[in-house]
Amino acid sequence: MSKKIFSGVQPSGNLHLGNYLGAIKNFVNLQNEKNNQCVYCVVDLHAITVKQDPKELKNNIRETVATFIASGIDPKKSIIFNQSKVPAHAEGAWILSCVARMGWLNRMTQFKEKAGKDREQASIGLYAYPVLMAADILLYDATHVPVGNDQKQHLELCRDIAQKFNNDFEVDNFLQVPEPLIQKEFSRIMSLKDGSKKMSKSDLSDFSRINLTDNK
Ligand code: ATP
Ligand code: LTN
């Protein structure tokens, strides 16, 4: 069966071994399976849910694409694009935000971790982040979404939103309900500084991770 693959990576700099083993390596394998249609998106609208320097962000978008290509994603076989260049992502997110429930978003552990203690000061974008992610996926009728374990809950939310939309508007299968593809072996590579946390781009310390640009 041919699969429609969609995934996104934030251009927040410092792509690391966790991103490669948990996600990008799988992007390449899926691209090389017969009949798959793969779309890989650099999700800059997601990146601006936390403060970004505009110049640095522009540079990080290019670096993320360069990392995709260096890792084996072939632009002749897969579509690589920048999320903010397609206004339908933001438009779709608004429509889906009228379907998603506050109670569902209140359970998202990534928001709780990123917002920290002072939730009142967190941006609405950070809170609504998983709805934009759902729009990314549902716009392309993706059947399968390769991600690391940390994104499992967001994908379950995406499935709930798609099912609720189809039920509410009585349109069976109008939105394709996607399946997560999570690697068994490398679904959660841990931080080198704190073994209880995942390796992350946004950790302030470079000693917490192996960056893909590190020398031998
Ligand atoms: P940030 O720290 O800015 O949230 P991140 O390091 O989590 O960034 P993302 O761009 O959010 O990176 O993730 C890109 C892909 O890499 C996602 O599919 C995510 O699940 C996966 N991923 C991220 N960190 C890890 C990790 N430590 N182990 C396995 N997969 C990971
Ligand atoms: N939320 C994801 C990045 C992301 C994504 C997507 C992944 C945005 N849109 C669509 C898969 C499908 C993250 O932080 N890793």
Side-chain angles (χ1 to χ4, degrees):
M1 194 193 78
S2 87
K3 297 181 190 137
K4 274 195 181 174
I5 311 290
F6 184 97
S7 198
V9 174
Q10 298 186 68
S12 36
N14 302 321
L15 272 108
H16 52 75
L17 199 63
N19 296 132
Y20 179 72
L21 294 175
I24 300 173
K25 189 167 182 277
N26 207 13
F27 297 178
V28 179
N29 293 341
L30 289 160
Q31 160 196 271
N32 294 331
E33 271 177 24
K34 221 178 154 198
N35 295 329
N36 286 353
Q37 286 176 277
C38 299
V39 180
Y40 299 124
C41 184
V42 179
V43 291
D44 51 349
L45 296 176
H46 278 102
I48 61 166
T49 55
V50 295
K51 204 166 185 328
Q52 297 288 340
D53 172 76
K55 269 197 199 135
E56 230 173 86
L57 180 63
K58 202 171 173 189
N59 194 38
N60 283 338
I61 292 170
R62 294 173 75 90
E63 276 194 11
T64 306
V65 175
T67 306
F68 277 4
I69 294 171
S71 306
I73 299 175
D74 179 351
K76 292 203 185 89
K77 293 186 187 162
S78 299
I79 294 172
I80 301 175
F81 78 106
N82 193 194
Q83 186 187 33
S84 64
K85 297 280 185 229
V86 181
H89 289 256
E91 292 163 6
W94 178 256
I95 294 169
L96 296 180
S97 74
C98 299
V99 176
R101 305 287 98 177
M102 298 271 290
W104 299 356
L105 285 178
N106 287 342
R107 285 196 281 277
M108 295 296 115
T109 52
Q110 184 176 292
F111 173 74
K112 290 182 196 164
E113 277 164 22
K114 288 205 171 175
K117 285 204 183 92
D118 199 359
R119 244 181 249 178
E120 294 287 310
Q121 282 305 314
S123 71
I124 293 170
L126 190 66
Y127 182 69
Y129 173 113
V131 181
L132 177 61
M133 176 165 164
D136 296 342
I137 297 166
L138 299 176
L139 272 178
Y140 296 90
D141 293 328
T143 58
H144 295 84
V145 182
V147 280
N149 203 328
D150 60 305
Q151 296 303 311
K152 199 172 166 202
Q153 194 184 33
H154 289 163
L155 266 174
E156 278 158 12
L157 181 92
C158 172
R159 289 168 57 87
D160 288 343
I161 293 175
Q163 275 158 352
K164 181 164 167 54
F165 186 101
N166 291 343
N167 284 334
D168 286 358
F169 297 101
E170 295 176 27
V171 282
D172 269 359
N173 303 322
F174 178 78
L175 292 179
Q176 168 75 42
V177 182
E179 297 292 334
L181 290 177
I182 298 174
Q183 307 259 65
K184 272 202 200 96
E185 294 84 0
F186 306 114
S187 66
R188 191 171 173 85
I189 306 293
M190 305 315 280
S191 158
L192 300 183
K193 272 194 99 175
D194 177 350
S196 67
K197 287 192 193 151
K198 78 169 187 96
M199 192 176 280
S200 162
K201 281 192 233 123
S202 48
D203 193 305
L204 292 177
S205 168
D206 241 356
F207 296 118
S208 69
R209 62 186 160 254
I210 298 178
N211 289 322
L212 294 180
T213 49
D214 282 352
N215 292 331
K216 263 197 257 175

